[in-house]
Coordinates of all heavy atoms in Angstrom, one line a residue:
M795 N -10.8 4.4 16.5 CA -10.1 4.2 15.1 C -10.6 2.9 14.5 O -10.8 2.0 15.2 CB -8.6 4.2 15.4 CG -7.9 3.9 14.1 SD -6.1 3.8 14.3 CE -5.7 5.5 14.6
T796 N -10.8 3.1 13.2 CA -11.3 1.9 12.5 C -10.2 0.8 12.4 O -9.0 1.1 12.5 CB -11.7 2.2 11.1 OG1 -10.6 2.7 10.4 CG2 -12.7 3.4 11.1
P797 N -10.6 -0.5 12.2 CA -9.6 -1.5 11.9 C -8.7 -1.2 10.8 O -7.5 -1.4 10.9 CB -10.4 -2.8 11.7 CG -11.7 -2.4 12.4 CD -12.0 -1.0 12.3
E798 N -9.2 -0.6 9.7 CA -8.4 -0.3 8.6 C -7.5 0.9 8.9 O -6.3 0.9 8.5 CB -9.2 0.1 7.4 CG -8.4 0.3 6.1 CD -9.2 0.5 4.8 OE1 -10.0 -0.4 4.6 OE2 -9.1 1.6 4.2
G799 N -7.9 1.8 9.8 CA -7.1 2.9 10.3 C -5.8 2.4 11.0 O -4.7 2.9 10.9
K800 N -6.1 1.3 11.8 CA -4.9 0.7 12.5 C -3.9 0.1 11.6 O -2.7 0.2 11.7 CB -5.5 -0.4 13.5 CG -6.3 0.2 14.6 CD -6.9 -0.9 15.5 CE -7.7 -0.3 16.6 NZ -8.3 -1.2 17.5
V801 N -4.4 -0.5 10.5 CA -3.5 -1.1 9.5 C -2.7 0.0 8.8 O -1.5 -0.1 8.7 CB -4.3 -2.0 8.4 CG1 -3.4 -2.4 7.3 CG2 -4.9 -3.2 9.0
K802 N -3.4 1.1 8.4 CA -2.7 2.2 7.8 C -1.6 2.8 8.7 O -0.6 3.2 8.3 CB -3.8 3.3 7.5 CG -4.6 2.9 6.3 CD -5.7 4.0 6.0 CE -6.6 3.6 4.9 NZ -7.6 4.6 4.6
D803 N -1.9 2.9 10.0 CA -1.0 3.5 11.0 C 0.3 2.6 11.0 O 1.4 3.0 11.1 CB -1.6 3.6 12.4 CG -2.4 4.8 12.5 OD1 -2.4 5.7 11.6 OD2 -3.1 5.0 13.6
K804 N 0.0 1.2 11.0 CA 1.2 0.3 11.0 C 2.0 0.4 9.8 O 3.2 0.3 9.8 CB 0.7 -1.1 11.3 CG 0.2 -1.4 12.7 CD -0.3 -2.7 12.9 CE -0.9 -2.9 14.2 NZ -1.5 -4.2 14.5
V805 N 1.3 0.6 8.6 CA 2.0 0.8 7.3 C 2.9 2.0 7.4 O 4.0 2.0 7.0 CB 1.0 0.9 6.1 CG1 1.7 1.4 4.9 CG2 0.4 -0.5 5.9
K806 N 2.3 3.2 7.9 CA 3.0 4.5 8.0 C 4.3 4.3 8.9 O 5.3 4.7 8.6 CB 2.1 5.5 8.5 CG 1.1 5.9 7.4 CD 0.3 7.2 7.9 CE -0.5 6.9 9.1 NZ -1.4 8.1 9.5
L807 N 4.1 3.6 10.0 CA 5.2 3.4 10.9 C 6.3 2.6 10.3 O 7.5 3.0 10.4 CB 4.7 2.8 12.2 CG 5.8 2.4 13.3 CD1 6.5 3.7 13.8 CD2 5.2 1.7 14.4
T808 N 5.9 1.5 9.6 CA 6.9 0.7 9.0 C 7.7 1.5 7.9 O 8.9 1.5 7.9 CB 6.2 -0.5 8.2 OG1 5.6 -1.3 9.3 CG2 7.3 -1.4 7.5
L809 N 7.0 2.2 7.1 CA 7.7 3.1 6.0 C 8.5 4.1 6.7 O 9.7 4.4 6.2 CB 6.6 3.6 5.1 CG 5.8 2.7 4.3 CD1 4.8 3.4 3.5 CD2 6.7 1.8 3.3
A810 N 8.1 4.7 7.8 CA 8.9 5.8 8.4 C 10.2 5.1 9.0 O 11.3 5.7 8.8 CB 8.1 6.5 9.5
V811 N 10.1 4.0 9.6 CA 11.3 3.3 10.1 C 12.2 3.0 9.0 O 13.4 3.0 9.2 CB 10.8 2.1 10.9 CG1 12.0 1.2 11.3 CG2 10.2 2.5 12.2
M812 N 11.7 2.6 7.8 CA 12.5 2.3 6.7 C 13.2 3.5 6.0 O 14.1 3.3 5.3 CB 11.7 1.5 5.6 CG 11.2 0.2 6.0 SD 9.9 -0.5 4.9 CE 11.0 -0.8 3.4
G813 N 12.7 4.7 6.4 CA 13.2 5.8 5.8 C 12.6 6.1 4.4 O 13.2 6.8 3.6
A814 N 11.5 5.5 4.1 CA 10.8 5.7 2.8 C 10.0 7.0 2.7 O 9.6 7.5 3.7 CB 9.9 4.6 2.6
Y815 N 10.0 7.6 1.5 CA 9.0 8.7 1.3 C 7.6 8.1 1.1 O 7.5 7.1 0.3 CB 9.4 9.5 0.1 CG 8.3 10.4 -0.4 CD1 8.2 11.7 0.3 CD2 7.4 10.1 -1.3 CE1 7.2 12.6 0.0 CE2 6.3 10.9 -1.6 CZ 6.2 12.2 -1.0 OH 5.2 13.0 -1.3
Y816 N 6.6 8.6 1.7 CA 5.2 8.1 1.5 C 4.2 9.3 1.7 O 4.5 10.3 2.3 CB 4.9 6.9 2.4 CG 4.8 7.3 3.8 CD1 3.6 7.7 4.4 CD2 5.9 7.3 4.6 CE1 3.5 8.0 5.8 CE2 5.8 7.7 6.0 CZ 4.6 8.0 6.5 OH 4.5 8.4 7.8
C817 N 3.1 9.1 1.1 CA 2.0 9.9 1.3 C 0.7 9.2 1.1 O 0.7 8.1 0.5 CB 2.0 11.2 0.3 SG 1.8 10.6 -1.4
M818 N -0.4 9.8 1.6 CA -1.7 9.1 1.6 C -2.7 10.1 0.9 O -3.2 11.0 1.5 CB -2.2 8.8 3.0 CG -1.3 7.8 3.7 SD -1.8 7.4 5.3 CE -3.3 6.5 5.0
P819 N -2.7 9.9 -0.4 CA -3.6 10.9 -1.2 C -5.1 10.8 -0.9 O -5.6 9.6 -0.7 CB -3.4 10.4 -2.7 CG -3.0 9.0 -2.6 CD -2.3 8.9 -1.3
A820 N -5.7 11.9 -0.7 CA -7.1 11.9 -0.5 C -7.8 12.2 -1.7 O -7.5 13.2 -2.4 CB -7.4 13.1 0.6
T821 N -8.7 11.3 -2.1 CA -9.4 11.5 -3.4 C -10.7 12.5 -3.2 O -10.7 13.3 -4.0 CB -9.9 10.2 -3.9 OG1 -10.7 9.5 -3.0 CG2 -8.7 9.3 -4.3
G822 N -11.4 12.2 -2.3 CA -12.5 13.2 -2.0 C -13.2 14.0 -3.1 O -13.5 15.2 -2.9
G823 N -13.3 13.4 -4.3 CA -13.8 14.2 -5.4 C -12.9 15.0 -6.2 O -13.2 15.5 -7.3
Y824 N -11.7 15.2 -5.7 CA -10.7 16.0 -6.4 C -9.6 15.2 -7.1 O -9.0 15.7 -7.9 CB -10.1 17.0 -5.4 CG -11.0 18.0 -4.8 CD1 -11.5 17.8 -3.6 CD2 -11.3 19.1 -5.6 CE1 -12.4 18.8 -3.1 CE2 -12.3 20.0 -5.1 CZ -12.8 19.9 -3.8 OH -13.7 20.7 -3.4
G825 N -9.4 13.9 -6.7 CA -8.4 13.1 -7.2 C -9.0 12.0 -8.1 O -10.2 11.9 -8.4
S826 N -8.1 11.0 -8.4 CA -8.7 9.9 -9.1 C -9.1 8.7 -8.2 O -8.4 8.5 -7.2 CB -7.5 9.3 -10.0 OG -7.1 10.3 -10.9
S827 N -10.2 8.1 -8.5 CA -10.7 7.1 -7.7 C -9.8 5.8 -7.9 O -9.3 5.6 -9.0 CB -12.1 6.7 -8.1 OG -13.0 7.9 -7.7
G828 N -9.8 4.9 -6.9 CA -9.1 3.7 -7.0 C -7.6 3.8 -6.7 O -6.9 2.7 -6.8
I829 N -7.1 4.9 -6.4 CA -5.7 5.0 -6.1 C -5.4 4.3 -4.7 O -6.2 4.4 -3.9 CB -5.3 6.6 -5.9 CG1 -5.5 7.3 -7.2 CG2 -3.9 6.7 -5.4 CD1 -5.2 8.8 -7.1
P830 N -4.2 3.6 -4.7 CA -3.9 2.9 -3.4 C -4.0 3.9 -2.2 O -3.6 5.1 -2.3 CB -2.5 2.4 -3.7 CG -2.4 2.2 -5.2 CD -3.2 3.4 -5.7
D831 N -4.1 3.4 -1.0 CA -4.2 4.2 0.1 C -2.9 4.8 0.4 O -2.9 6.0 1.0 CB -4.6 3.3 1.4 CG -6.0 2.7 1.3 OD1 -6.9 3.5 1.1 OD2 -6.2 1.5 1.5
V832 N -1.8 4.2 0.2 CA -0.5 4.8 0.4 C 0.4 4.7 -0.8 O 0.4 3.6 -1.5 CB 0.2 4.0 1.6 CG1 1.6 4.6 1.9 CG2 -0.6 4.0 2.8
L833 N 1.0 5.8 -1.2 CA 1.9 5.9 -2.3 C 3.4 6.1 -1.7 O 3.5 6.9 -0.8 CB 1.6 7.0 -3.3 CG 0.2 6.8 -4.0 CD1 0.0 8.1 -4.9 CD2 0.1 5.6 -4.8
C834 N 4.3 5.4 -2.2 CA 5.6 5.4 -1.5 C 6.7 5.3 -2.6 O 6.5 4.8 -3.6 CB 5.7 4.2 -0.6 SG 7.2 3.7 0.1
C835 N 7.9 5.9 -2.2 CA 9.1 5.7 -3.0 C 10.1 5.3 -2.0 O 10.4 5.9 -1.0 CB 9.4 7.0 -3.7 SG 10.8 6.8 -4.9
Y836 N 10.7 4.1 -2.4 CA 11.8 3.6 -1.5 C 12.9 2.9 -2.3 O 12.7 2.2 -3.3 CB 11.2 2.4 -0.6 CG 12.2 1.8 0.3 CD1 12.7 2.6 1.3 CD2 12.5 0.5 0.1 CE1 13.7 2.0 2.2 CE2 13.4 -0.1 1.0 CZ 14.0 0.6 2.1 OH 14.9 0.1 2.9
K837 N 14.1 3.5 -2.2 CA 15.3 3.1 -2.9 C 15.0 3.1 -4.4 O 15.4 2.2 -5.2 CB 15.7 1.7 -2.5 CG 16.2 1.6 -1.1 CD 16.8 0.3 -0.7 CE 17.3 0.3 0.7 NZ 17.9 -0.9 1.1
G838 N 14.3 4.2 -4.9 CA 14.1 4.4 -6.3 C 12.9 3.7 -6.8 O 12.7 3.8 -8.1
R839 N 12.2 2.9 -6.0 CA 11.1 2.2 -6.5 C 9.8 2.8 -6.1 O 9.7 3.2 -5.0 CB 11.1 0.7 -6.0 CG 12.3 -0.1 -6.5 CD 12.3 -0.5 -8.0 NE 11.1 -1.1 -8.4 CZ 10.9 -2.5 -8.4 NH1 11.9 -3.3 -7.9 NH2 9.8 -3.0 -8.8
F840 N 8.8 2.8 -7.0 CA 7.5 3.4 -6.8 C 6.7 2.2 -6.3 O 6.7 1.1 -6.7 CB 6.8 3.9 -8.0 CG 5.5 4.5 -7.8 CD1 5.3 5.8 -7.3 CD2 4.3 3.7 -8.0 CE1 4.1 6.3 -7.1 CE2 3.1 4.2 -7.8 CZ 2.9 5.6 -7.4
I841 N 5.9 2.5 -5.1 CA 5.2 1.5 -4.4 C 3.8 1.9 -4.1 O 3.6 3.0 -3.6 CB 5.9 1.0 -3.1 CG1 7.3 0.5 -3.4 CG2 5.0 -0.1 -2.4 CD1 8.1 0.4 -2.1
G842 N 2.8 1.1 -4.5 CA 1.4 1.4 -4.1 C 0.9 0.4 -3.1 O 1.2 -0.8 -3.3
I843 N 0.3 0.9 -1.9 CA -0.1 -0.1 -0.9 C -1.6 0.2 -0.7 O -2.0 1.3 -0.3 CB 0.7 0.1 0.4 CG1 2.1 -0.1 0.1 CG2 0.1 -0.8 1.5 CD1 3.0 0.3 1.3
E844 N -2.4 -0.9 -0.8 CA -3.8 -0.8 -0.6 C -4.0 -1.5 0.8 O -3.6 -2.7 1.0 CB -4.6 -1.5 -1.6 CG -6.1 -1.4 -1.4 CD -6.7 0.0 -1.5 OE1 -6.2 0.8 -2.2 OE2 -7.6 0.2 -0.7
C845 N -4.7 -0.9 1.7 CA -4.9 -1.4 3.1 C -6.4 -2.0 3.2 O -7.3 -1.3 2.8 CB -4.7 -0.3 4.1 SG -3.0 0.4 4.1
K846 N -6.5 -3.2 3.7 CA -7.7 -3.8 3.9 C -7.8 -4.5 5.2 O -6.8 -4.8 5.9 CB -8.0 -4.9 2.7 CG -8.2 -4.3 1.4 CD -9.4 -3.4 1.3 CE -9.5 -2.9 -0.2 NZ -10.7 -1.9 -0.2
T847 N -9.0 -4.9 5.7 CA -9.1 -5.6 6.9 C -10.3 -6.7 6.7 O -11.1 -6.6 5.8 CB -9.5 -4.8 8.1 OG1 -10.7 -4.0 7.8 CG2 -8.4 -3.8 8.4
R848 N -10.4 -7.6 7.7 CA -11.4 -8.5 7.8 C -11.7 -9.3 6.5 O -12.9 -9.6 6.1 CB -12.7 -7.8 8.2 CG -12.6 -7.2 9.6 CD -13.9 -6.6 10.0 NE -13.7 -5.9 11.3 CZ -14.2 -4.7 11.6 NH1 -15.0 -4.1 10.8 NH2 -14.0 -4.2 12.8
G849 N -10.6 -9.7 5.8 CA -10.8 -10.4 4.6 C -11.3 -9.6 3.4 O -11.6 -10.3 2.4
N850 N -11.5 -8.3 3.5 CA -11.8 -7.5 2.3 C -10.8 -7.6 1.3 O -9.7 -7.6 1.5 CB -12.2 -6.1 2.8 CG -13.4 -6.0 3.7 OD1 -14.3 -6.8 3.5 ND2 -13.3 -5.0 4.6
K851 N -11.3 -7.5 0.0 CA -10.5 -7.4 -1.1 C -10.5 -6.1 -1.8 O -11.5 -5.4 -1.7 CB -10.9 -8.5 -2.1 CG -11.0 -9.9 -1.5 CD -9.7 -10.5 -1.4 CE -9.8 -12.0 -1.0 NZ -8.7 -12.4 -0.2
P852 N -9.6 -5.7 -2.6 CA -9.6 -4.5 -3.4 C -10.8 -4.5 -4.4 O -11.2 -5.6 -4.9 CB -8.3 -4.4 -4.1 CG -7.4 -5.4 -3.4 CD -8.3 -6.5 -2.8
T853 N -11.4 -3.4 -4.6 CA -12.4 -3.2 -5.6 C -11.8 -3.5 -7.0 O -10.5 -3.5 -7.2 CB -13.1 -1.9 -5.6 OG1 -12.1 -0.9 -6.0 CG2 -13.6 -1.5 -4.2
R854 N -12.6 -3.7 -7.9 CA -12.1 -3.9 -9.3 C -11.2 -2.7 -9.7 O -10.1 -2.9 -10.3 CB -13.2 -4.0 -10.2 CG -12.8 -4.4 -11.7 CD -14.0 -4.7 -12.6 NE -14.6 -5.8 -12.2 CZ -15.8 -6.1 -12.5 NH1 -16.6 -5.3 -13.3 NH2 -16.5 -7.2 -12.1
L855 N -11.7 -1.5 -9.4 CA -10.9 -0.3 -9.8 C -9.6 -0.2 -9.0 O -8.6 0.2 -9.6 CB -11.7 1.0 -9.5 CG -11.2 2.4 -10.0 CD1 -10.7 2.3 -11.5 CD2 -12.1 3.5 -9.7
Q856 N -9.7 -0.5 -7.8 CA -8.5 -0.5 -6.9 C -7.4 -1.5 -7.5 O -6.2 -1.2 -7.7 CB -8.7 -0.8 -5.5 CG -9.4 0.3 -4.8 CD -9.9 -0.1 -3.4 OE1 -10.3 -1.3 -3.1 NE2 -10.1 0.9 -2.6
Q857 N -7.9 -2.7 -7.8 CA -7.0 -3.8 -8.4 C -6.5 -3.3 -9.7 O -5.3 -3.7 -10.0 CB -7.8 -5.1 -8.5 CG -6.9 -6.3 -8.8 CD -5.8 -6.5 -7.7 OE1 -6.1 -6.7 -6.6 NE2 -4.6 -6.5 -8.1
S858 N -7.2 -2.8 -10.5 CA -6.8 -2.2 -11.8 C -5.6 -1.3 -11.6 O -4.6 -1.3 -12.4 CB -7.9 -1.5 -12.6 OG -7.4 -1.0 -13.7
N859 N -5.7 -0.4 -10.7 CA -4.6 0.6 -10.4 C -3.4 -0.1 -9.8 O -2.2 0.1 -10.2 CB -5.1 1.6 -9.3 CG -5.8 2.8 -10.0 OD1 -5.2 3.7 -10.5 ND2 -7.1 2.7 -10.0
L860 N -3.5 -1.1 -9.0 CA -2.4 -1.9 -8.5 C -1.7 -2.7 -9.6 O -0.5 -2.8 -9.7 CB -2.9 -2.9 -7.4 CG -3.4 -2.3 -6.1 CD1 -4.1 -3.4 -5.2 CD2 -2.3 -1.5 -5.3
D861 N -2.5 -3.2 -10.5 CA -2.0 -4.0 -11.7 C -1.2 -3.0 -12.6 O -0.2 -3.4 -13.1 CB -3.1 -4.7 -12.4 CG -3.8 -5.8 -11.7 OD1 -3.2 -6.2 -10.7 OD2 -4.9 -6.2 -12.1
E862 N -1.7 -1.9 -12.8 CA -1.1 -0.8 -13.6 C 0.3 -0.4 -13.0 O 1.3 -0.2 -13.7 CB -1.9 0.4 -13.9 CG -1.3 1.4 -14.9 CD -1.0 0.9 -16.3 OE1 -1.6 -0.2 -16.7 OE2 -0.2 1.5 -17.0
I863 N 0.3 -0.3 -11.7 CA 1.6 0.1 -11.1 C 2.6 -1.1 -11.3 O 3.8 -0.8 -11.7 CB 1.4 0.3 -9.5 CG1 0.6 1.6 -9.3 CG2 2.7 0.2 -8.7 CD1 0.1 1.7 -7.9
E864 N 2.1 -2.3 -11.2 CA 3.1 -3.4 -11.5 C 3.5 -3.4 -13.0 O 4.7 -3.6 -13.3 CB 2.4 -4.8 -11.1 CG 2.1 -5.0 -9.7 CD 3.5 -5.5 -9.0 OE1 4.4 -6.0 -9.6 OE2 3.4 -5.5 -7.7
R865 N 2.6 -3.2 -13.9 CA 2.9 -3.1 -15.3 C 4.0 -2.0 -15.7 O 4.8 -2.2 -16.6 CB 1.7 -2.9 -16.2 CG 0.9 -4.2 -16.5 CD -0.1 -3.9 -17.6 NE -1.2 -3.0 -17.2 CZ -2.2 -3.3 -16.4 NH1 -2.4 -4.6 -16.0 NH2 -3.1 -2.5 -16.1
Q866 N 4.0 -1.0 -14.9 CA 4.9 0.1 -15.1 C 6.2 -0.1 -14.4 O 7.0 0.9 -14.4 CB 4.3 1.4 -14.7 CG 3.0 1.8 -15.6 CD 3.4 2.0 -17.0 OE1 4.4 2.4 -17.4 NE2 2.4 1.6 -17.9
G867 N 6.4 -1.2 -13.8 CA 7.7 -1.5 -13.1 C 7.7 -1.2 -11.6 O 8.8 -1.3 -11.0
G868 N 6.6 -0.7 -11.1 CA 6.5 -0.4 -9.6 C 6.2 -1.7 -8.9 O 6.1 -2.8 -9.4
M869 N 5.9 -1.6 -7.6 CA 5.5 -2.7 -6.7 C 4.1 -2.3 -6.2 O 3.9 -1.1 -5.9 CB 6.5 -2.9 -5.6 CG 7.8 -3.5 -6.0 SD 8.8 -3.9 -4.6 CE 9.7 -2.4 -4.3
A870 N 3.2 -3.2 -6.0 CA 1.9 -3.0 -5.5 C 1.6 -4.2 -4.4 O 1.9 -5.3 -4.7 CB 0.9 -3.0 -6.6
F871 N 1.1 -3.7 -3.3 CA 0.7 -4.7 -2.3 C -0.6 -4.4 -1.7 O -1.1 -3.2 -1.6 CB 1.8 -4.6 -1.1 CG 3.2 -4.8 -1.5 CD1 4.0 -3.8 -1.8 CD2 3.7 -6.1 -1.6 CE1 5.3 -4.0 -2.1 CE2 5.0 -6.4 -1.9 CZ 5.8 -5.3 -2.2
V872 N -1.3 -5.5 -1.3 CA -2.5 -5.4 -0.5 C -2.1 -5.8 0.9 O -1.6 -6.9 1.1 CB -3.6 -6.3 -1.1 CG1 -4.9 -6.2 -0.1 CG2 -4.0 -5.8 -2.5
V873 N -2.3 -5.0 1.8 CA -1.8 -5.2 3.2 C -3.0 -5.3 4.1 O -3.9 -4.4 4.0 CB -0.8 -4.1 3.7 CG1 -0.4 -4.3 5.1 CG2 0.4 -4.1 2.8
N874 N -3.0 -6.3 5.0 CA -4.1 -6.3 6.0 C -3.5 -6.7 7.4 O -2.3 -6.7 7.6 CB -5.1 -7.4 5.5 CG -4.4 -8.8 5.3 OD1 -3.6 -9.2 6.2 ND2 -4.8 -9.5 4.3
E875 N -4.4 -6.9 8.4 CA -3.9 -7.1 9.7 C -3.1 -8.4 9.8 O -2.3 -8.5 10.7 CB -5.1 -7.1 10.7 CG -6.1 -8.3 10.5 CD -7.2 -7.9 9.5 OE1 -7.2 -6.9 8.8 OE2 -8.2 -8.7 9.4
D876 N -3.2 -9.3 8.9 CA -2.4 -10.5 8.9 C -1.0 -10.4 8.3 O -0.1 -11.2 8.7 CB -3.2 -11.6 8.2 CG -4.5 -12.0 8.7 OD1 -4.6 -11.9 10.0 OD2 -5.4 -12.3 8.0
N877 N -0.8 -9.5 7.4 CA 0.6 -9.4 6.8 C 1.2 -8.1 7.0 O 2.4 -7.9 6.6 CB 0.5 -9.8 5.4 CG -0.2 -8.8 4.5 OD1 -0.8 -7.8 4.9 ND2 -0.3 -9.0 3.2
V878 N 0.6 -7.1 7.7 CA 1.2 -5.8 7.9 C 2.5 -5.9 8.6 O 3.5 -5.1 8.4 CB 0.3 -4.8 8.5 CG1 0.0 -5.2 9.9 CG2 0.8 -3.3 8.4
S879 N 2.7 -6.8 9.5 CA 3.8 -7.1 10.3 C 5.1 -7.5 9.4 O 6.2 -7.4 9.9 CB 3.7 -8.0 11.4 OG 3.4 -9.3 10.9
V880 N 4.9 -8.0 8.2 CA 5.9 -8.4 7.4 C 6.1 -7.5 6.1 O 6.7 -7.9 5.1 CB 5.9 -9.9 6.9 CG1 6.1 -10.8 8.1 CG2 4.6 -10.2 6.2
L881 N 5.5 -6.3 6.2 CA 5.5 -5.4 5.0 C 6.9 -5.1 4.5 O 7.3 -5.2 3.4 CB 4.7 -4.2 5.3 CG 4.8 -3.0 4.2 CD1 4.2 -3.6 2.9 CD2 4.1 -1.8 4.6
R882 N 7.8 -4.8 5.5 CA 9.2 -4.5 5.2 C 9.8 -5.6 4.5 O 10.5 -5.4 3.4 CB 10.0 -4.1 6.4 CG 11.4 -3.7 6.1 CD 12.2 -3.3 7.3 NE 13.4 -2.7 6.9 CZ 14.1 -1.8 7.5 NH1 13.6 -1.3 8.7 NH2 15.2 -1.3 7.1
Q883 N 9.7 -6.8 4.9 CA 10.2 -8.0 4.3 C 9.6 -8.2 2.9 O 10.4 -8.5 1.9 CB 9.9 -9.2 5.2 CG 10.4 -10.5 4.6 CD 10.0 -11.7 5.5 OE1 9.6 -11.6 6.6 NE2 10.2 -12.9 4.9
M884 N 8.4 -7.9 2.7 CA 7.7 -8.1 1.4 C 8.4 -7.1 0.4 O 8.7 -7.5 -0.7 CB 6.3 -7.9 1.5 CG 5.5 -8.9 2.2 SD 3.7 -8.6 2.8 CE 3.1 -7.5 1.5
I885 N 8.6 -5.9 0.9 CA 9.3 -4.9 -0.1 C 10.7 -5.3 -0.3 O 11.1 -5.3 -1.5 CB 9.1 -3.5 0.6 CG1 7.7 -3.0 0.6 CG2 10.0 -2.5 -0.1 CD1 7.4 -1.7 1.5
E886 N 11.5 -5.6 0.8 CA 12.9 -5.8 0.6 C 13.1 -7.1 -0.4 O 14.1 -7.0 -1.1 CB 13.5 -6.1 1.9 CG 13.5 -4.8 2.8 CD 14.6 -3.8 2.5 OE1 15.4 -4.0 1.7 OE2 14.5 -2.7 3.2
E887 N 12.3 -8.0 -0.3 CA 12.4 -9.2 -1.1 C 12.3 -8.9 -2.6 O 12.8 -9.6 -3.5 CB 11.4 -10.3 -0.7 CG 11.8 -11.0 0.5 CD 10.7 -12.0 1.0 OE1 9.6 -12.1 0.4 OE2 11.0 -12.7 2.0
R888 N 11.6 -7.8 -2.9 CA 11.4 -7.5 -4.3 C 12.3 -6.4 -4.9 O 12.2 -6.0 -6.1 CB 9.9 -7.0 -4.5 CG 8.9 -8.2 -4.2 CD 7.7 -8.3 -4.8 NE 7.5 -7.6 -6.1 CZ 6.5 -7.0 -6.5 NH1 5.4 -6.8 -5.7 NH2 6.4 -6.5 -7.7
L889 N 13.2 -5.9 -4.1 CA 14.1 -4.9 -4.5 C 15.2 -5.4 -5.4 O 15.6 -6.6 -5.3 CB 14.7 -4.2 -3.4 CG 13.9 -3.2 -2.6 CD1 14.6 -2.6 -1.4 CD2 13.3 -2.0 -3.5

């Protein structure tokens, strides 16, 4: 499993424990590029989560999508191996 895959698994586990609805859209030429890795709805709030590792940053298109989610009243996070353990806290603090 890739390092990013491990982060995604931890994100999914955290969201499942929280009781959140989530999905991981596959773009593969059929969807829109730049969509966050995980889309989630928790306590009525829309959340986009982009998973990264090893100091990687979102691409310009990914960041644009994260910014648009925030502009529309949702929450957007970039999660990596350093902060995935506090994802629940990050979400709860913004509810």
Side-chain angles (χ1 to χ4, degrees):
M795 176 179 291
T796 66
E798 187 171 300
K800 291 177 183 177
V801 172
K802 288 177 183 178
D803 281 351
K804 290 178 183 178
V805 167
K806 291 188 295 185
L807 178 61
T808 298
L809 296 175
V811 167
M812 293 170 66
Y815 168 83
Y816 68 90
C817 65
M818 298 179 69
T821 56
Y824 294 102
S826 299
S827 296
I829 294 174
D831 293 312
V832 181
L833 299 178
C834 171
C835 187
Y836 180 66
K837 294 187 177 181
R839 295 292 303 273
F840 182 84
I841 303 167
I843 301 169
E844 183 62 39
C845 299
K846 295 293 181 187
T847 58
R848 299 183 183 140
N850 291 329
K851 306 283 185 208
T853 66
R854 185 177 295 159
L855 183 56
Q856 289 168 336
Q857 189 61 56
S858 176
N859 277 277
L860 294 171
D861 293 344
E862 183 62 20
I863 290 169
E864 291 277 343
R865 273 192 296 279
Q866 295 298 326
M869 291 188 270
F871 300 97
V872 177
V873 177
N874 58 43
E875 62 272 13
D876 296 327
N877 67 357
V878 69
S879 63
V880 294
L881 176 61
R882 182 178 192 150
Q883 178 183 345
M884 290 167 30
I885 293 171
E886 295 284 353
E887 286 176 352
R888 295 207 29 214
L889 288 177

